[in-house]
């Protein structure tokens, strides 16, 4: 049930043939500040080639992202495209035609993992959090503290006070 299996035995060796497929698979991915935990939808077309199958697909899933600067969290739909060639001999990832069928879940999960931003930003110019008080600098300039002790005026203030 966690696999995306397509029957393609009759397509191999017939380059003019194709089969549309779709399905979903539960995935759990964690990359940096991004996680995907839930269904990945996959749709695609498997085409016969002289010696195998080429599967072209679109994979999509909802990712939960955390901005690496301000820690805002949000959900985003990740959509990506990929393709995989299958023959009877496994490729370097171990993908192959087995019993007249291909499993698209592995290549689709690989493509999805590549499409997820490992270091998400809520926006490209996110100002992040104040390192002193933790205020979100996108909504609050936070210019009221911490500068006095670094400022040359702080020395003068001490002189006047004494
Ligand atoms: Zn942010
Ligand atoms: Zn601050």
């Amino acid at each position: 049930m966690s696999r995306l299996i397509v029957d393609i035995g009759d397509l191999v060796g017939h380059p003019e043939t194709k089969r549309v497929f779709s399905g979903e698979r539960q995935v759990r991915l964690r990359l940096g500040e991004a996680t995907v935990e839930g269904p990945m939808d996959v749709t695609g077309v498997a085409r016969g080639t002289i010696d195998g199958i080429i599967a072209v697909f679109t994979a999509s899933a909802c990712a939960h992202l955390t901005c690496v600067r301000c820690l805002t969290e949000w959900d985003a739909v990740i959509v990506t495209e990929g393709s995989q060639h299958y023959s009877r001999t496994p490729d370097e990832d171990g993908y192959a035609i087995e019993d007249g069928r291909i499993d698209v879940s592995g290549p689709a999960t690989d493509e999805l993992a590549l499409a997820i931003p490992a270091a998400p930003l809520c926006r490209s110019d996110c100002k992040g959090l104040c390192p002193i008080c933790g205020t979100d600098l996108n909504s609050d300039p936070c210019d009221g503290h911490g500068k006095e002790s670094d400022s040359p005026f702080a020395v003068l203030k001490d002189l006047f006070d004494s």
Side-chain angles (χ1 to χ4, degrees):
M1 66 177 246
S2 66
R3 289 150 71 90
L4 275 159
I5 306 290
V6 188
D7 277 311
I8 45 73
D10 53 329
L11 305 186
V12 178
H14 301 282
E16 74 282 6
T17 57
K18 64 179 182 179
R19 179 156 302 138
V20 174
F21 61 87
S22 66
E24 84 174 29
R25 182 204 191 187
Q26 294 295 317
V27 291
R28 179 182 284 202
L29 296 168
R30 181 166 180 85
L31 287 114
E33 296 303 320
T35 54
V36 176
E37 201 167 345
M40 169 180 68
D41 292 309
V42 180
T43 59
V45 181
R47 290 178 191 277
T49 67
I50 295 296
D51 60 345
I53 293 292
I54 180 102
V56 179
F57 57 83
T58 300
S60 62
C62 186
H64 188 73
L65 307 175
T66 303
C67 177
V68 292
R69 289 187 195 155
C70 73
L71 307 181
T72 296
E73 296 182 29
W74 76 103
D75 289 329
V77 176
I78 307 293
V79 181
T80 186
E81 296 176 347
S83 65
Q84 175 70 36
H85 184 264
Y86 298 82
S87 67
R88 292 196 170 84
T89 312
D91 69 4
E92 69 265 23
D93 296 314
Y95 302 134
I97 298 168
E98 290 179 49
D99 301 327
R101 297 184 294 186
I102 56 170
D103 183 354
V104 187
S105 54
T109 305
D110 295 346
E111 286 297 334
L112 188 71
L114 289 173
I116 295 169
L121 287 176
C122 62
R123 58 191 216 209
S124 59
D125 62 344
C126 174
K127 296 186 179 73
L129 303 180
C130 170
I132 295 161
C133 70
T135 298
D136 185 345
L137 299 177
N138 296 303
S139 54
D140 186 340
C142 175
D143 52 7
H145 71 84
K147 291 190 173 167
E148 223 170 88
S149 58
D150 298 333
S151 152
F153 298 109
V155 178
L156 290 176
K157 186 168 178 288
D158 284 343
L159 288 174
F160 285 126
D161 283 351
S162 57

